[in-house]
Amino acid sequence: MTTLNGKVMVTGGAGYIGSHAVLALLDAGYEVVVIDNLVTGFDWAVDGRAAFVNIAVEDSGVRKVIRDHDVRAIMHFAGSVVVPESVSDPLKYYRNNTAATRTLIESAVAEGVPHFIFSSTAATYGTPDKVPIAEGDPKVPINPYGMSKLMTEFMLRDVSAAHPMNHCCLRYFNVAGADPQGRSGQSTVGATHLIKIAVEAATGKRESVGVYGTDFATRDGTGVRDYIHVSDLADAHVAALKLLVEQPGESHVLNCGYGRGFSVLEVLDAVDRVTNLTIDRKLQGRRAGDPAELVADNAAILRTIDWTPQRDDLDGIVRDALAWERQLAERAS
């Protein structure tokens, strides 16, 4: 059972990763209140066991939500996440990811919330000097998305030094898959996640999959990423919260990945295997802001929190994503 004397507020809990974190928290016995302005999220994605408030994280009314629901921890997922868009519209990312989060942290401090878990990203590293990437490696973001998240990490570091709040920044690598029980999945229209796009192609929503860059210095010329199952990631958040509660004076920054990478072509091969189809691949030039290879050194998270990956299998990740995509198709029909 939870040792948290109060509720967890999940921002962006109607979105992809946030809704899975809500499920993991509820399944672990926590009480949850979700706040989401539904710009990209879906109210039906919020489990009925959680309270839901339609509000933006930067709204002054968030302080009342914290008081009314006796919030003692915040998991912050709300924000903008499309790397190429951050390059073309950087101010949107500094507004949604940095300025809005600053206001949220201010609300948390004002209301005495002692624990804060932040949805960060491997994009904080930029183009790494070596792979796998460890938490202490240089942080030189090459796009505004990564910079907007790194700025929040700095804010949390400084706030935790000045106020009675500890935090955990979880740097995600590539999140994929869906709840194995079919309760949630990636539902965003126009999503840019490779596995999501591939299973959309497999179910007829797309005619092909674009392969952006075939001349990277990787084993087959396409970008290599460390894909983590969204449900494993959600479990990591619950474990991180438990650690923050048990060690109130300590804060952490941890990579979330499996420590091995797959290329774009290898992922598409896995989709072909799972679906018994051949996905049409359109080879195109590189996108702005894409590093060649991002793979986590996950030694720190494995030794720091009580978490062991349960779904470290690419074909399994694809199967769960495909099952959710078919469920979405049935919902729409």
Side-chain angles (χ1 to χ4, degrees):
M1 286 296 294
T2 170
T3 56
L4 185 73
N5 187 26
K7 289 186 181 179
V8 183
M9 186 170 80
V10 179
T11 77
Y16 174 40
I17 302 173
S19 65
H20 286 81
V22 170
L23 290 170
L25 285 164
L26 292 167
D27 290 348
Y30 290 87
E31 292 184 276
V32 176
V33 55
V34 170
I35 68 169
D36 199 302
N37 62 5
L38 301 180
V39 170
T40 57
F42 304 89
D43 55 2
W44 52 258
V46 179
D47 189 280
R49 294 171 289 171
F52 174 66
V53 181
N54 186 335
I55 191 171
V57 297
E58 67 269 29
D59 194 291
S60 60
V62 168
R63 289 183 59 174
K64 184 175 186 298
V65 176
I66 292 172
R67 288 194 301 272
D68 289 351
H69 290 271
D70 189 25
V71 170
R72 303 296 293 161
I74 293 174
M75 286 191 184
H76 181 36
F77 298 92
S80 299
V81 299
V82 182
V83 169
E85 182 189 48
S86 80
V87 176
S88 62
D89 191 1
L91 290 176
K92 173 180 177 179
Y93 281 70
Y94 291 122
R95 180 185 67 241
N96 290 355
N97 293 357
T98 309
T101 301
R102 181 219 163 274
T103 303
L104 174 66
I105 297 170
E106 184 175 48
S107 296
V109 169
E111 297 302 325
V113 178
H115 312 297
F116 198 107
I117 294 179
F118 176 54
S119 165
S120 193
T121 173
T124 56
Y125 296 110
T127 302
D129 294 330
K130 63 180 180 64
V131 175
I133 310 162
E135 289 83 355
D137 288 350
K139 269 68 69 180
V140 189
I142 60 173
N143 51 62
Y145 169 64
M147 182 60 76
S148 71
K149 293 283 194 172
L150 185 60
M151 291 168 75
T152 296
E153 289 193 14
F154 290 152
M155 282 193 288
L156 286 168
R157 178 198 64 190
D158 296 341
V159 167
S160 290
H163 299 280
M165 172 193 286
N166 66 343
H167 69 273
C168 184
C169 298
L170 295 174
R171 292 179 182 150
Y172 310 164
F173 282 66
N174 278 48
V175 188
D179 175 52
Q181 298 179 46
R183 297 173 295 176
S184 190
Q186 170 60 281
S187 307
T188 309
V189 176
T192 58
H193 301 72
L194 174 61
I195 290 177
K196 167 71 171 177
I197 290 170
V199 295
E200 284 184 345
T203 54
K205 286 187 181 178
R206 295 175 185 257
E207 293 183 356
S208 61
V209 175
V211 177
Y212 295 97
T214 58
D215 59 348
F216 289 108
T218 60
R219 50 187 171 267
D220 61 18
T222 65
V224 170
R225 298 292 184 268
D226 187 337
Y227 293 88
I228 180 171
H229 194 292
V230 66
S231 294
D232 271 345
L233 181 62
D235 290 343
H237 284 74
V238 176
L241 175 59
K242 184 173 184 288
L243 181 66
L244 292 184
V245 172
E246 291 174 349
Q247 300 179 4
E250 300 293 326
S251 294
H252 305 274
V253 179
L254 300 169
N255 287 337
C256 291
Y258 291 147
R260 61 173 181 161
F262 294 95
S263 73
V264 173
L265 295 182
E266 288 169 341
V267 169
L268 296 180
D269 287 344
V271 176
D272 287 351
R273 282 194 303 273
V274 169
T275 60
N276 290 315
L277 299 170
T278 301
I279 305 300
D280 187 25
R281 310 167 186 200
K282 299 294 186 187
L283 305 183
Q284 302 179 49
R286 299 186 190 186
R287 295 178 299 193
D290 272 352
E293 187 169 5
L294 290 173
V295 176
D297 179 337
N298 65 357
I301 192 171
L302 293 176
R303 71 170 176 266
T304 303
I305 66 173
D306 183 16
W307 176 76
T308 303
Q310 302 297 310
R311 303 168 184 89
D312 180 6
D313 173 67
L314 180 60
D315 285 19
I317 292 172
V318 170
R319 275 192 293 272
D320 287 343
L322 180 65
W324 178 253
E325 203 59 44
R326 288 171 172 161
Q327 189 173 322
L328 284 178
E330 291 175 7
R331 180 189 293 268
S333 62

